[in-house]
């Protein structure tokens, strides 16, 4: 039986230029991880998780979310093992294990992933149970003027979202005794 207390990861997918990556960046802004200085660790391409070692490295560095763009290749049979690793990491504390100097070590699954793709996600029912799928249709596309207006507004206001993350962190710290007994 799987873990019923899992927090599903997000996968916005669908039509190009509809705001899928922007949604991920907004989620990163809640934890103040949306700026250029954090980009190398929190905004990755699929090539940064397309092997067992890269996947383990990306998921084990931090506890903050990681935006992984262009994961459309997950439906390719060649990457079946990545789908399996994703499924496992959503509901377990360990992403993978490895031997280092003759001893076995666990690689922790610390960061939730936000996975974006233009193509439909894997049809595996277990994957779809663990990942919240957000389909962006052609109705989500905005003209260049509207898109640029939103980008300008967002760039001026995105830092405000960090207050939400500060509140969440403070709430957990102040109420850890209640939260751990549930």
């Amino acid at each position: 039986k799987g873990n019923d207390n899992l927090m599903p990861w997000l996968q916005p997918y669908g039509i190009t230029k509809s705001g899928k990556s922007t949604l991920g960046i907004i989620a990163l802004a809640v934890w103040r991880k949306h700026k250029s200085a954090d980009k190398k660790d929190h905004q990755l391409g699929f090539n940064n998780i397309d092997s067992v070692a890269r996947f383990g490295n990306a998921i084990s560095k931090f506890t903050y979310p990681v935006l992984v763009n262009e994961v459309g290749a997950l439906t390719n049979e060649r990457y079946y093992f990545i789908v399996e690793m994703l499924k496992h990491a959503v509901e377990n504390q360990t992403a993978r294990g490895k031997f280092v100097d003759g001893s076995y070590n666990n690689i922790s699954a610390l960061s939730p992933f936000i996975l974006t793709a233009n193509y439909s996600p894997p049809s595996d029912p277990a994957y779809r149970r663990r990942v919240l799928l957000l389909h962006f249709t052609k109705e989500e596309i905005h003209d260049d003027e509207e898109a640029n207006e939103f980008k300008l507004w967002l760039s001026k206001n995105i830092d405000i979202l960090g207050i939400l993350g500060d509140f969440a962190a403070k709430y957990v710290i102040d109420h850890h005794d209640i939260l751990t007994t549930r």
Side-chain angles (χ1 to χ4, degrees):
K1 178 176 171 353
N3 182 353
D4 292 331
N5 295 319
L6 62 89
M7 181 182 76
W9 291 358
L10 296 177
Q11 184 171 353
Y13 72 97
I15 196 82
T16 188
K17 295 189 180 242
S18 57
K20 300 179 299 289
S21 294
T22 301
L23 177 66
I25 291 168
I26 290 169
L28 293 177
V30 170
W31 303 108
R32 303 182 193 276
K33 298 298 176 190
H34 62 290
K35 300 201 180 213
S36 294
D38 294 305
K39 200 169 192 171
K40 67 178 178 44
D41 294 318
H42 295 281
Q43 296 179 45
L44 309 176
F46 179 65
N47 63 322
N48 294 105
I49 68 159
D50 68 351
S51 73
V52 173
R54 289 180 188 137
F55 182 93
N57 183 55
I59 201 167
S60 66
K61 282 184 176 180
F62 308 99
T63 56
Y64 295 107
V66 173
L67 173 62
V68 183
N69 284 308
E70 305 301 339
V71 299
L74 288 177
T75 58
N76 185 321
E77 224 176 87
R78 175 179 172 198
Y79 293 112
Y80 178 76
F81 72 98
I82 297 292
V83 173
E84 293 301 313
M85 290 179 66
L86 288 165
K87 289 176 358 186
H88 179 78
V90 169
E91 63 180 9
N92 291 285
Q93 294 177 352
T94 302
R96 63 177 286 252
K98 72 176 184 177
F99 279 97
V100 177
D101 297 329
S103 65
Y104 188 79
N105 296 296
N106 287 320
I107 305 297
S108 297
L110 300 176
S111 295
F113 284 174
I114 302 164
L115 308 158
T116 71
N118 294 333
Y119 304 102
S120 294
S123 59
D124 180 332
Y127 178 86
R128 288 174 172 254
R129 188 177 74 76
R130 290 169 175 87
V131 178
L132 181 60
L133 304 175
L134 305 170
H135 186 215
F136 283 62
T137 65
K138 64 181 178 182
E139 287 77 28
E140 306 291 334
I141 296 178
H142 302 280
D143 62 44
D144 287 343
E145 182 181 339
E146 191 176 22
N148 289 334
E149 185 180 318
F150 178 75
K151 282 181 188 177
L152 179 62
W153 178 86
L154 185 61
S155 70
K156 290 179 183 177
N157 294 289
I158 195 166
D159 292 334
I160 295 168
L161 291 171
I163 295 168
L164 178 59
D166 296 344
F167 171 80
K170 175 116 174 78
Y171 186 87
V172 169
I173 290 168
D174 291 349
H175 298 89
H176 71 279
D177 54 331
I178 297 169
L179 297 171
T180 56
T181 59
R182 292 183 180 185

